[in-house]
Amino acid sequence: MEVRKDQIFNLWNTNGRRSDVPDALRIYLEILCEIREEYPGETWASYPASTAEFLFYRKAVERSPGVFKRHPQYDAFLERLGKDYGRFLSRDREWMAGGLSARDRAVLDGAIEARARHYTSNLVKIGFADKQRRISEAGFSYLKNRTERDPLESLLPIDNINLILFRQMMKLKVFSGPDEKGRRSYYSPFFMAVYLLLYQEKLEKTAFMTIVQGMTPYLTEEEKKRALSGGKELEREIWNVEIPVPQPFLESGPVSEAVFGAYIKNRKSSKVEAVYYEFYRLLRKLRQERSRESYGKLAELMAENRDKLQKAFGYGREIFDMGRGAGYTLEQFLEKNGNHPFLSSGEFNRRFYEAYFLSGRADDIREYSDTTERLLGASGLFRFSALPELSCGEVLVQIFDRELLSSRIFGAMDREEYEAYEEAEGCFFRADRSMAQILGFDGAQVRDRMEKIRLALGEETSLGIREKLHSRSSEAFRAHVESKYPREKIMELLPLFSDRKNDPRIQREVHDMASVPTIYEYVTGIAWYYLSGRDFDLYESLNLTLNADFEPVIHAGGGDGDIVIHYGEAVVMLEVTLMNKQAQRRGEWEPVLRHSLNLKAAAGGRETMTFFIADQLDYNTVNIWRAVAAASLESTNTHKKVDGVSIMPLTNGDILEFLRKRVPRERIMEEVRRSFAGVPRITDTRWREEILDNL
C-alpha cells in the first residue's frame, strides 16, 4: 500500500465503512466469486466495458441490507431502467445508443460503480485480491477457511480465520512513493504493534493505536531511530511532521472566505465549512476588540457547533476552557486561555491552519485506527478490553525477539523487490505464506524457537504446548462468559433476537464486529452451556472465530455444524439460524440434514442428536425433520448408510423457557430420545426398484 507524505494509511475506505470487517471481507470475496462464475467474460471495469462493478454493488446491497439501508440514487436508477434492465445488463447495442441519459451515466459511475470500487479496495489493501479484483491465493484461503500451518503456528490456540488475518497483517507494509532511483521506504504497522506490546512500557489504547496508525514510511533515519527509542518519543514523532502552510495563511491580514474555503474544507458539508469560517472570523474579531459582544458571539457559535469545531481545530478535544454551566465571563475566559496560540500568537493565520492540519491528522488517525484495531483483534492475538496486550505473549516473545522486530518495523525496497513483494502477479503479499516463511526462518531457526517456547512453558512436546495453551484459552473464555454473560444476561439478550430492529442494541451489548446472526449463534451456545450445567468445553465446541477478547467475529464455516458438543455418552449439534420461515426451506434443509448425517456417520456408534434452533419455525421444516428420522439415508462425505437421524426443532422462546425453568439438557435429550424412538422406520429400501420391476 502506497501513501503520500501527508497521508495516514487506512485499511478500510471511509465510503462504505462497516464494523463487521471480517464478515464483510468474506461477503465481498463471495460476491467476486459469484460474478466470475456467472459472468466469466467480465473484467473489473466500468460500464459499458463491463457490468462487474454494477453487479458487485447490487449484490453487496442485497447481501448486507442491515448495513446498506439507504441507497436512493441506486433505487431511482433501477426504477428509471424499468423494463430495460435486461437490455442494460446485456449491453444491448441498439439500446445503449440512447438508453442511458447523461444523468444516469453520472449516477451509475458516481453512486454505484465508484462505491463498488471503494468497497473492494479493502480486499486489495489486505491482500485478498489484486487491483483487477481477482481473488488472491491468500483470499481463497480466507474464503475457504483452509490453510496449512507451520510448526510455530500449530502451537497457537487460534483458528484458521484468525491465522490468515494474522499473516496478512504481518505481511502488510505501508510504502512511500518511489524516489528518483525507484527505491521505496516502508513501515510495518504489525511489527510496530508487537514491538510496543513486548518491549515498551504499557500504553493505554488511544496512545497505542495513535502510534501504530500514525507512523509513516517517510521518517528520516534519525527520526526512525528516535521512534524506536520508546515511550513518549514514539508519540512525539507522530506530530513531528512538516505542515504545508498555504501562502495566504503565512500573511498577517484576514483571509477572505473564498480563499479560506479553498484550503480549509469539510468532506461532507459546505454548511460546516461556513461554520469554520465564522469561527475564524470571530476569533480574529475577539483578538482585535476583546469585547463582551465579540466574546458572546464566539461562545455562542462554539456551543452550537462544539463537536464540529473540536474535531476540526481541537484534536477532538475542547479548544478553550469555557467554564461550566453558564460559562466564563470575558475576563475569566481571557485569564484561563490567554496563552492559547489562537489568542496570543503573532502568527494567528499560521497557527489556525496548523491546528486545522494537525486536528485533521488526529481525526484521520482516530477514524482509520478503528479498522486496524479490529483486524489486529480478529487475528486472535491482540487484546483491547483493558490495556492493549498480546494473547500468548510468552510464546510470541520467543518468536519475535527485540532485534528481529526493530529490524522489520522500517525498511526499504528497490523497484524489483517492491514489484515482487506487492505488485507482480502471484506476489508475496497476496500469496498464502506461513509465519516462518514470512519471517524468513529456515528449519534450524524454527527448531530454535520451538525449543525456547518448550523451555518457557515447561513442556516436553509440541502437543503438550498446544494442550496447555488451549486449556488456558478455554479457561479464560469460560471466565469471560461467566463474567460478561451470566445466565441472567443471556435471558435478557435472547428475546431481543425476535425483532431485527433490536440489532444495533444487540451489537452494542455484545460486540459490533460480528453480524447479528453470528452473535445469535454465540449467545445460543452460551445458553446451552448453562442448560448443560457447564459440563462441556464451550471454547472447543463453537464453530466461531473469536477475537483475543473472546468476542464473536465471524462464523468459521468449513462445512461443519454451528456448535458441536462432545459429551461422554453422546454428541450434540446445535444448528442456529435467524432465517425466517420461508428462507428456512431454501437455506437450511440441505445443510442441516447434511451436517446431521455426516455427524452421525463420524460418531463411531455414539448417540447423536441435532437441535435446529430458530426464532420461528416453518411448519414444513418441523415435519421434514421428523420424517427423516424414519428414512435410511447416506452421509455426503463418506457415503455410509445412516438410519434414524434425530433433528429436534426448537424456538428461541423454547430455549428461554428452559433457562427460566432451569430444565437440564439431560432431561431435554431424554424426552427427544423417547419421542424419536417411537418413529417407525422405513425398512423397505428397495421400494423404488419394486415399482419399476412391476412396470
Side-chain angles (χ1 to χ4, degrees), residues 86-125:
R87 300 181 76 182
F88 160 76
L89 209 57
S90 65
R91 286 169 288 175
D92 181 282
R93 289 188 179 182
E94 182 182 348
W95 177 83
M96 282 199 302
L100 279 181
S101 66
R103 174 193 178 190
D104 281 339
R105 288 184 184 278
V107 169
L108 177 60
D109 179 64
I112 298 174
E113 293 180 324
R115 290 181 180 176
R117 293 191 290 271
H118 284 309
Y119 301 167
T120 53
S121 70
N122 308 311
L123 297 174
V124 179
K125 290 174 182 179

Side-chain angles (χ1 to χ4, degrees), residues 127-235:
F128 286 160
D130 65 15
K131 291 178 181 178
Q132 298 304 312
R133 281 28 174 203
R134 292 173 297 217
I135 299 175
S136 68
E137 186 182 22
F140 276 116
S141 294
Y142 186 81
L143 183 59
K144 296 174 182 177
N145 188 25
R146 288 202 302 267
T147 192
E148 295 295 323
R149 296 184 180 229
D150 67 32
L152 292 170
E153 293 170 335
S154 296
L155 303 177
L156 300 173
I158 58 177
D159 71 11
N160 285 340
I161 295 297
N162 294 136
L163 178 61
I164 293 163
L165 290 173
F166 168 64
R167 290 173 176 176
Q168 292 308 111
M169 291 300 286
M170 197 185 313
K171 287 188 285 181
L172 177 71
K173 296 185 189 301
V174 181
F175 287 94
S176 69
D179 64 16
E180 64 278 2
K181 296 181 179 178
R183 189 170 177 80
R184 297 171 183 263
S185 296
Y186 65 78
Y187 158 62
S188 168
F190 171 87
F191 287 117
M192 175 60 83
V194 177
Y195 176 78
L196 289 173
L197 297 183
L198 288 182
Y199 299 111
Q200 294 296 310
E201 60 193 65
K202 289 285 186 182
L203 295 166
E204 50 88 24
K205 186 170 75 173
T206 300
F208 172 78
M209 289 309 306
T210 296
I211 294 168
V212 172
Q213 191 72 45
M215 279 292 169
T216 170
Y218 289 95
L219 298 184
T220 65
E221 292 306 313
E222 182 58 34
E223 287 169 337
K224 291 173 185 176
K225 185 177 179 181
R226 287 202 307 270
L228 294 178
S229 64
K232 298 185 182 300
E233 289 294 330
L234 280 164
E235 274 197 272

Side-chain angles (χ1 to χ4, degrees), residues 63-75:
R63 292 283 294 275
S64 301
V67 176
F68 305 116
K69 298 176 183 178
R70 295 186 67 256
H71 27 75
Q73 293 190 81
Y74 169 70
D75 296 338

Side-chain angles (χ1 to χ4, degrees), residues 145-378:
N145 188 25
R146 288 202 302 267
T147 192
E148 295 295 323
R149 296 184 180 229
D150 67 32
L152 292 170
E153 293 170 335
S154 296
L155 303 177
L156 300 173
I158 58 177
D159 71 11
N160 285 340
I161 295 297
N162 294 136
L163 178 61
I164 293 163
L165 290 173
F166 168 64
R167 290 173 176 176
Q168 292 308 111
M169 291 300 286
M170 197 185 313
K171 287 188 285 181
L172 177 71
K173 296 185 189 301
V174 181
F175 287 94
S176 69
D179 64 16
E180 64 278 2
K181 296 181 179 178
R183 189 170 177 80
R184 297 171 183 263
S185 296
Y186 65 78
Y187 158 62
S188 168
F190 171 87
F191 287 117
M192 175 60 83
V194 177
Y195 176 78
L196 289 173
L197 297 183
L198 288 182
Y199 299 111
Q200 294 296 310
E201 60 193 65
K202 289 285 186 182
L203 295 166
E204 50 88 24
K205 186 170 75 173
T206 300
F208 172 78
M209 289 309 306
T210 296
I211 294 168
V212 172
Q213 191 72 45
M215 279 292 169
T216 170
Y218 289 95
L219 298 184
T220 65
E221 292 306 313
E222 182 58 34
E223 287 169 337
K224 291 173 185 176
K225 185 177 179 181
R226 287 202 307 270
L228 294 178
S229 64
K232 298 185 182 300
E233 289 294 330
L234 280 164
E235 274 197 272
R236 194 172 292 125
E237 291 303 328
I238 303 300
W239 309 111
N240 184 26
V241 293
E242 182 180 341
I243 302 174
V245 181
Q247 183 60 38
F249 289 87
L250 293 174
E251 298 168 4
S252 60
V255 178
S256 70
E257 186 169 4
V259 173
F260 183 96
Y263 297 105
I264 294 184
K265 301 177 180 294
N266 180 276
R267 288 183 295 226
K268 298 179 180 177
S269 171
S270 59
K271 291 181 179 179
V272 176
E273 290 177 358
V275 170
Y276 294 168
Y277 187 73
E278 184 66 3
F279 177 58
Y280 167 81
R281 191 186 69 79
L282 290 174
L283 273 174
R284 284 193 67 94
K285 190 170 184 181
L286 179 63
R287 284 168 58 93
Q288 293 166 354
E289 295 183 1
R290 307 267 168 150
S291 67
R292 287 182 175 83
E293 181 186 2
S294 58
Y295 170 61
K297 289 181 178 179
L298 177 66
E300 183 181 358
L301 180 80
M302 293 183 68
E304 291 175 353
N305 300 278
R306 181 171 176 268
D307 292 342
K308 298 182 185 73
L309 294 173
Q310 284 181 14
K311 189 174 182 180
F313 303 102
Y315 309 90
R317 301 185 294 273
E318 296 285 358
I319 300 172
F320 297 115
D321 180 357
M322 304 294 290
R324 296 182 180 178
Y328 290 141
T329 64
L330 171 62
E331 292 74 18
Q332 290 170 324
F333 173 78
L334 293 174
E335 181 183 350
K336 293 286 186 181
N337 301 281
N339 292 326
H340 194 289
F342 283 179
L343 300 175
S344 63
S345 174
E347 296 181 293
F348 169 68
N349 284 345
R350 182 188 191 111
R351 291 304 185 95
F352 189 87
Y353 185 85
E354 288 175 344
Y356 164 75
F357 181 90
L358 292 175
S359 292
R361 187 175 177 83
D363 186 53
D364 285 346
I365 290 172
R366 185 167 50 251
E367 188 169 6
Y368 297 149
S369 65
D370 178 76
T371 297
T372 304
E373 178 191 328
R374 291 175 187 276
L375 286 168
L376 289 172

